[in-house]
Amino acid sequence: MNALIFAAGLGTRLKPLTDTMPKAMVPVNGKPLVQILIEKLKAVGVTEIVINVHHFAQQIVDFVEANNYFGIDIKFSDETDMLLETGGGLKKAARLFSNDKPILVHNVDILSNADLPSLYDEVLATGATTLLVSQRQTQRYLLFDETNRLVGWTNIATGEVKSPYPDIKNRSVRRFAFSGIQVFHPSLLPLMDSWQGKFSIIDFYLSICDKVDIKYRLDAQLQLLDVGKLDSITKAEAFLS
């Protein structure tokens, strides 16, 4: 299994902690978030990891090196010159893997009980990039049709809708929140050739979802915590315990 850890973000919601460290190094129960995720990925069978880095990048690199790469093949996708967002970050990092297997993409600040091997196996079987979603309340939702295929995105607070389908507002859709966990199938990489610099992976998906299958997976038992704010650290400690 291949895995990409998104750890390049500025972590502005975790200030003042992130004034002196990247969010990947924010400790929960004495362990940095990046270590918690690396150990989880290793335990479920991931053999290659790429970590994208930008904010206080060297702290992450030094920490992983000091821990002998946690006994796994870990590389770094350096975004110190420019933060590439999720799409640009994935495009750059993908070439660092030694094979063309699907890539499990996981935000460093997400804790969950997700069955990652099962999600990965599903993509191996279907060949379709698959997004792990939930029914949590939020303002931004991904839209899927009756065949579980991505057809759009909406912000219910502003009424904004993005979709390649002109009739999307008249279609029957299912609305789910994205978890920050997905498995990307490498067959989509050639479709990224015209996308340069920084861009959102969701915007990329929305530009091609009328041409290729991008599916969702809903786990009714999913427990998920975004360690994005200071008050979430205490919740994260309880979650892990």
Side-chain angles (χ1 to χ4, degrees), residues 166-197:
D167 64 341
I168 186 65
K169 291 186 177 181
N170 299 320
R171 298 182 65 162
S172 176
V173 296
R174 300 172 183 177
R175 194 173 70 182
F176 298 114
F178 181 44
S179 70
I181 302 170
Q182 60 184 300
V183 178
F184 177 87
H185 197 276
S187 61
L188 299 188
L189 283 172
L191 301 178
M192 281 185 170
D193 287 346
S194 63
W195 292 69
Q196 302 299 320

Side-chain angles (χ1 to χ4, degrees), residues 50-71:
V50 174
I51 305 173
N52 75 337
V53 291
H54 171 80
H55 184 57
F56 292 112
Q58 198 59 43
Q59 287 189 31
I60 301 174
V61 175
D62 290 346
F63 176 75
V64 172
E65 289 180 347
N67 284 275
N68 298 310
Y69 295 86
F70 297 93

